[in-house]
Amino acid sequence: MKLTLSVIKADIGSIGGHVAPSQRLLDTVKAYIGKRASSLLLDHYISHTGDDIAILMTHTHGENDEAIHQLAWDAFRAGTDAAREEGLYGAGQDLLKTSFSGNVKGMGPAVAEMEIEERTSEPFLFFDADKSDPGAYNLPLYLAFTDVMNTPGLILSPNISSGYRFVIMDVSHTEGDRIIALNAPDELYDIAALHRDPERFVVESVWSRATGEQAAAVATSRLHNIAGKYTGKDDPVMLVRVQMNFPATGEILAPYAIGHFVGGGMRGSHQVPLMPVTLNTGISYFDGPPIVSCAGFCVHNGKLTEPVDGFAHPFLNTVRDHVADKAIEMRRQGFIGTAMLPMSELEYTGISEKLELLDKRFRVREAKPALAKS
Ligand code: F6R
Ligand code: MG
Ligand code: MG
């Protein structure tokens, strides 16, 4: 059957700072969706990662469906009312527009969707990251879908040895979706050249070259590009299909053992390693570290199984220790050089205002007259 997987997420308020939504806020969103689900959805799953609430939905209405997007938007509006009543911090933070206009893209919430032909068994992974931006998934996707060192299936399994097509978006282009499609492995170095700059070039989707099936969908919104000012980090969601014609679950998960540095953390303005965490984890050290969760499902006729936690395994404890060590080491460098993001990526305007004032005080020293040579 043709099935659409849609995940729409937003930060609509949290307790203790930008840490985690309250139970009442989560319950409000769950109740809102629960009441209206039967007429629109086949199934749904609601969770939080850090201060973001994600609504994962299965349905048959296709991508960018107005009714589906409106349902999520209205649930976040209802949640925002509850967040305001409780005095939560940043209530309604990611709802950047006052009225719904057909599609939540460009309105604040992050969206990842794919319409698929459901396989007899359809295992997929739902990733949710907080205190980071969509480029956070570039390296894990690059390694999982192109690199034999990470994904031995690329040489072992005839199902996946034809490689994958990457659709990459230039998120600095705000007038429309500026995208490029590149094939791995043929155009690997071109893909790599774009991946070098994950704040600008973001993998939007990955496709099987053998079958044409979609393997992955990533939310690519950049909040500060939408609002023109700091409104929080983008905190992207991603859906990845696994097994058979796609890399195995373990091949998709393996890159998260690196704890690669991503843009985010405190005030959305630092380079901090990404820590894989268990489902429904909050935020702590240095408004981070940036975290990513993974819920694995099988979906059958649109019905979801319960989630299995992709990062709860004891193996991940060592990874988390390693990531914490990397984070602490980078933090010793404070605000200097690579510890903080480049000027164009800073989520607050304080430094540019300061530099403008200081600029007026700079003077070019007058050159001393050269001594006459005799
Ligand atoms: C990062 C983030 C936090 C806030 C920080 C200050 O994406 O959300 O690090 O930037 O806690 O928040 P405000 O400016 O709301 O006091
Ligand atoms: Mg927040
Ligand atoms: Mg967040």
Side-chain angles (χ1 to χ4, degrees):
M1 76 183 270
K2 271 240 184 283
L3 177 75
T4 313
L5 304 175
S6 298
V7 56
I8 303 185
K9 71 104 241 173
D11 174 354
I12 50 169
S14 48
I15 44 180
H18 295 276
V19 174
S22 67
Q23 193 55 51
R24 184 173 153 197
L25 172 51
L26 266 170
D27 290 345
T28 306
V29 174
K30 282 182 184 168
Y32 193 95
I33 298 285
K35 255 191 211 152
R36 289 151 188 85
S38 59
S39 58
L40 262 185
L41 306 179
L42 295 170
D43 210 348
H44 66 278
Y45 166 78
I46 295 169
S47 59
H48 84 89
T49 295
D51 57 9
D52 302 302
I53 296 180
I55 309 170
L56 172 65
M57 297 168 277
T58 63
H59 57 92
T60 53
H61 303 278
E63 294 171 32
N64 296 311
D65 181 75
E66 181 164 350
I68 297 292
H69 282 225
Q70 172 115 45
L71 175 66
W73 177 262
D74 290 345
F76 289 137
R77 289 293 296 260
T80 298
D81 291 344
R84 290 209 173 104
E85 275 168 34
E86 268 194 295
L88 298 194
Y89 194 64
Q93 178 185 295
D94 283 357
L95 306 188
L96 302 180
K97 308 277 155 115
T98 43
S99 57
F100 181 73
S101 58
N103 189 313
V104 294
K105 272 189 191 158
M107 299 182 72
V111 188
E113 294 184 289
M114 51 177 151
E115 188 173 41
I116 60 171
E117 193 61 54
E118 192 188 270
R119 296 172 287 171
T120 317
S121 173
E122 183 60 64
F124 75 94
L125 307 176
F126 156 46
F127 290 87
D128 192 355
D130 189 30
K131 303 294 183 266
S132 189
D133 51 30
Y137 294 124
N138 276 12
L139 178 63
L141 290 172
Y142 176 84
L143 293 175
F145 285 95
T146 76
D147 189 345
V148 183
M149 296 291 279
N150 178 90
T151 302
L154 292 167
I155 52 171
L156 292 177
S157 163
N159 291 338
I160 70 171
S161 58
S162 315
Y164 290 90
R165 183 159 55 92
F166 281 64
V167 177
I168 298 171
M169 184 181 284
D170 174 359
V171 293
S172 69
H173 187 86
T174 48
E175 295 82 45
D177 291 352
R178 189 164 183 263
I179 55 162
I180 186 170
L182 293 168
N183 286 330
D186 324 32
E187 298 172 296
L188 192 63
Y189 295 167
D190 298 323
I191 295 172
L194 296 179
H195 273 48
R196 196 206 64 85
D197 186 357
E199 310 301 328
R200 176 166 179 196
F201 299 111
V202 174
V203 179
E204 180 196 64
S205 56
V206 182
W207 303 75
S208 160
R209 292 179 68 193
T211 66
E213 293 170 291
Q214 185 164 3
V218 184
T220 49
S221 59
R222 295 297 315 269
L223 288 179
H224 80 280
N225 292 351
I226 297 169
K229 61 175 169 40
Y230 172 76
T231 47
K233 227 33 191 172
D234 313 281
D235 306 340
V237 281
M238 171 168 77
L239 297 167
V240 185
R241 297 166 81 192
V242 289
Q243 310 292 152
M244 293 297 290
N245 295 336
F246 307 112
T249 302
E251 290 167 333
I252 298 290
L253 295 183
Y256 296 90
I258 296 172
H260 60 296
F261 284 96
V262 295
M266 176 58 66
R267 297 181 185 277
S269 302
H270 292 82
Q271 305 271 14
V272 197
L274 183 67
M275 181 181 280
V277 295
T278 55
L279 299 175
N280 300 309
T281 294
I283 287 299
S284 174
Y285 170 79
F286 198 59
D287 277 6
I291 56 174
V292 60
S293 69
C294 172
F297 293 93
C298 277
V299 59
H300 190 55
N301 295 328
K303 286 281 167 216
L304 295 165
T305 58
E306 74 274 25
V308 61
D309 192 329
F311 294 137
H313 193 276
F315 180 86
L316 270 293
N317 295 337
T318 301
V319 170
R320 283 187 271 272
D321 287 349
H322 164 65
V323 174
D325 285 344
K326 277 178 83 165
I328 291 166
E329 194 54 41
M330 181 60 114
R331 287 310 311 133
R332 293 178 65 198
Q333 193 169 319
F335 58 92
I336 303 290
T338 51
M340 198 179 263
L341 286 173
M343 289 296 292
S344 58
E345 289 299 325
L346 298 182
E347 302 281 358
Y348 287 77
T349 53
I351 289 196
S352 26
E353 284 159 22
K354 203 176 277 302
L355 288 181
E356 261 172 50
L357 290 174
L358 290 173
D359 192 60
K360 297 192 181 85
R361 294 174 54 191
F362 270 88
R363 296 279 175 271
V364 177
R365 186 178 286 135
E366 277 176 30
K368 281 187 188 159
L371 291 174
K373 283 193 185 138
S374 54

